[in-house]
Amino acid sequence: MNYENTLEWLYAQLPMFSRTGAAAYKPGLQTSQKLDSYFGHPHKKFKSIHVGGTNGKGSTSHMISAILQSQGYRTGLYTSPHLVDFRERIRIDGKMIDKEAVVNFVKKFKESGYEGHPSFFELTMMMAFDWFASQRVDYAVIEVGMGGRLDSTNIISPELAIITNISKDHTQFLGKNLVEIAREKAGIIKSEVPCVVGEAEGEIKEVFEERASEVGTTVLFADKLCPLQKCKSNPEGGLDCSSPICGDFHCQLDGDYQKKNINTVLTALYEMRRIGIEIDDDAIKKGMEDVCGLTGLAGRWMKVADKPLTICDTGHNEAGIRYTMSQLDRIVKETRGEKHIIIGFVADKAIDDIINLLPKDARYYLTCASIPRALPVEDLKAKFIEHGIVGNAFVNPKEAFEAARCNATDKDVIYIGGSTFIVADFLA
């Protein structure tokens, strides 16, 4: 098998949630534990940081990885889904896993006589752990796939657990309300493993405190510690920040929502230092300043053109869309232009509440991603009409973007989002 054949096998033979949705969802750790045993418990051969939550866990994972790399640690990073290249999911010091390693792992699995049928996520996660172990990483930053308690990644015993925040997403699997979702996310909190929570209040905060008490560990709330004292947009891009943790620094990432993620990361660094992980100020500054270059992060309030200003963002639930629409509105007020929004969703997303957050004064270019799980564009158009919004339909993000670019002036802003897979198709 070559690399292309191997990917075809992975996509065709194993159920993949990001493509097919509920049919691929396998709650529970039994398969992951069996695979882990079969491959010699690779996750026990390196230290790890576990990152969960609803929004921001990808950005948070990449920032921590960049900082660990800058400190000189050999650092693995496992995230999902990928945007363009499957190998984006598995990196060491920013470099994607070798194609040959992907082929060899799948070959070893197929020839092993393993009895069982893991999901795409379960097998690729084990591929990552096996690769990290064989390459002798010092630390691996592991992003939770969905939820936490029953997520495949929850077989690890990390040095630190991080939960960014809680908002409504995947309610058909994780719970109908925020408290139920929080309980699922809190499942990554383990005995004697300190936990950092980005933001939580009221009943949500109590869920995390109760879980920490049950298992015998501590939980630190970033929105109470508030180590990020100053943070403002730099006209040339990124955010200029200040913190007693490390002094003044520049973060390469844009987007108003990144301020909360940075606050979570700084709190995590405070806790990592407390438990004996050496991280100096210069490593924090270097990692933050070049997080995209060091880790390959893309698709988070990502500027792809200046005239007209073109932004793509993978935010895809109520909280994510609320943040991005607020920032989009602020930018357009400054430029005195118009909003051109290229948008699409997955079919299993409850989008009525999201559509209610969208501005009525924008021009809409409705489209769908190239995955089976995508909501057909005609269905999306009908849904928008129900909400009193008229948009033109396009078969793919490329055609939608070409139309928006023809209609937009230099003062306008083009936004591409609604789904990770819309952004993936656009970038591809």
Side-chain angles (χ1 to χ4, degrees):
M1 293 178 72
N2 60 24
Y3 177 69
E4 288 70 26
N5 297 146
T6 300
L7 281 191
E8 288 174 7
W9 183 87
L10 282 169
Y11 293 148
Q13 297 297 317
L14 305 180
M16 181 179 177
F17 179 84
S18 61
R19 292 179 61 84
T20 60
Y25 180 56
K26 284 179 61 181
L29 305 180
Q30 295 89 345
T31 300
S32 293
Q33 289 167 338
K34 188 174 179 181
L35 277 171
D36 182 54
S37 176
Y38 206 81
F39 283 95
H41 306 290
H43 74 89
K44 295 182 179 180
K45 298 173 184 176
F46 52 84
K47 296 178 180 179
S48 57
I49 309 293
H50 207 187
V51 185
T54 304
N55 292 304
K57 60 182 183 288
S59 296
T60 298
S61 296
H62 283 79
M63 282 188 271
I64 290 175
S65 179
I67 291 164
L68 288 169
Q69 288 174 230
S70 298
Q71 184 65 36
Y73 296 115
R74 187 161 173 78
T75 307
L77 176 62
Y78 176 68
T79 58
S80 63
H82 63 273
L83 289 176
V84 179
D85 189 327
F86 164 80
R87 298 179 300 138
E88 294 169 27
R89 296 167 177 259
I90 306 169
R91 296 177 185 266
I92 295 177
D93 290 344
K95 182 183 177 183
M96 294 187 292
I97 184 173
D98 297 337
K99 291 181 179 181
E100 184 180 6
V102 175
V103 173
N104 289 341
F105 178 86
V106 172
K107 182 180 179 182
K108 180 166 67 172
F109 171 76
K110 291 177 68 177
E111 295 177 350
S112 66
Y114 174 85
E115 294 182 0
H117 196 63
S119 69
F120 176 92
F121 188 86
E122 288 166 336
L123 192 62
T124 54
M125 179 199 74
M126 195 53 55
M127 181 190 299
F129 291 178
D130 187 67
W131 179 243
F132 295 157
S134 71
Q135 299 301 303
R136 299 182 180 181
V137 302
D138 299 307
Y139 288 93
V141 181
I142 308 298
E143 181 190 2
V144 172
M146 186 196 301
R149 181 176 65 94
L150 300 177
D151 186 76
S152 304
T153 64
N154 207 27
I155 63 172
I156 66 174
S157 299
E159 306 300 301
L160 176 70
I162 302 169
I163 300 171
T164 55
N165 52 55
I166 302 298
S167 62
K168 286 188 177 180
D169 202 10
H170 302 301
T171 54
Q172 68 271 47
F173 306 114
L174 304 182
K176 297 177 181 179
N177 57 59
L178 295 180
V179 170
E180 291 179 0
I181 294 170
R183 289 197 181 105
E184 289 299 312
K185 304 282 186 182
I188 69 169
I189 302 175
K190 297 183 176 73
S191 177
E192 299 182 358
V193 176
C195 178
V196 166
V197 173
E199 52 181 321
E201 57 184 27
E203 289 182 285
I204 306 302
K205 186 170 182 285
E206 290 175 5
V207 167
F208 296 127
E209 289 173 331
E210 289 171 5
R211 171 64 181 174
S213 177
E214 285 173 8
V215 300
T217 191
T218 59
V219 59
L220 189 61
F221 295 93
D223 56 350
K224 304 298 182 289
L225 188 66
C226 294
L228 181 62
Q229 293 184 339
K230 296 178 182 178
C231 189
K232 63 180 182 178
S233 296
N234 186 302
E236 296 183 2
L239 298 165
D240 293 326
C241 307
S242 182
S243 170
I245 300 290
C246 60
D248 296 338
F249 64 95
H250 177 79
C251 181
Q252 187 180 17
L253 301 182
D254 263 315
D256 290 346
Y257 58 84
Q258 293 295 0
K259 296 174 184 178
K260 291 188 176 183
N261 293 333
I262 294 169
N263 193 60
T264 301
V265 169
L266 290 169
T267 306
L269 293 169
Y270 170 86
E271 195 70 345
M272 288 161 72
R273 283 173 166 175
R274 187 188 68 80
I275 62 177
I277 301 174
E278 183 180 348
I279 300 172
D280 60 41
D281 292 353
D282 287 343
I284 297 173
K285 294 175 182 179
K286 182 180 177 183
M288 288 293 201
E289 187 172 10
D290 191 25
V291 59
C292 297
L294 288 168
T295 67
L297 177 63
R300 275 70 169 184
W301 200 260
M302 181 179 177
K303 183 172 75 171
V304 294
D306 285 307
K307 291 186 178 181
L309 177 61
T310 303
I311 300 291
C312 62
D313 191 273
T314 55
H316 56 270
N317 53 39
E318 289 180 50
I321 295 293
R322 185 178 288 109
Y323 269 114
T324 55
M325 290 302 109
S326 175
Q327 184 162 6
L328 183 63
D329 187 58
R330 177 171 57 78
I331 292 172
V332 169
K333 284 180 179 177
E334 293 172 358
T335 64
R336 298 183 180 180
E338 292 186 353
K339 310 179 190 92
H340 299 260
I341 297 179
I342 298 166
I343 199 161
F345 300 96
V346 290
D348 53 7
K349 184 76 65 178
I351 65 172
D352 289 279
D353 291 338
I354 293 175
I355 294 176
N356 286 331
L357 298 173
L358 300 176
K360 295 290 194 294
D361 60 346
R363 296 183 66 171
Y364 285 92
Y365 307 77
L366 310 178
T367 188
C368 65
S370 58
I371 58 169
R373 190 177 157 216
L375 179 66
V377 69
E378 291 304 326
D379 293 351
L380 179 61
K381 186 174 182 178
K383 181 65 74 172
F384 267 62
I385 290 172
E386 286 179 20
H387 288 263
I389 302 176
V390 177
N392 292 320
F394 298 88
V395 296
N396 57 52
K398 180 182 178 182
E399 289 194 9
F401 175 65
E402 289 172 351
R405 190 166 53 179
C406 287
N407 293 331
T409 69
D410 286 353
K411 294 192 302 181
D412 295 347
V413 179
I414 299 174
Y415 172 89
I416 303 107
S419 164
T420 299
F421 310 105
I422 294 292
V423 174
D425 281 3
F426 171 74
L427 293 177

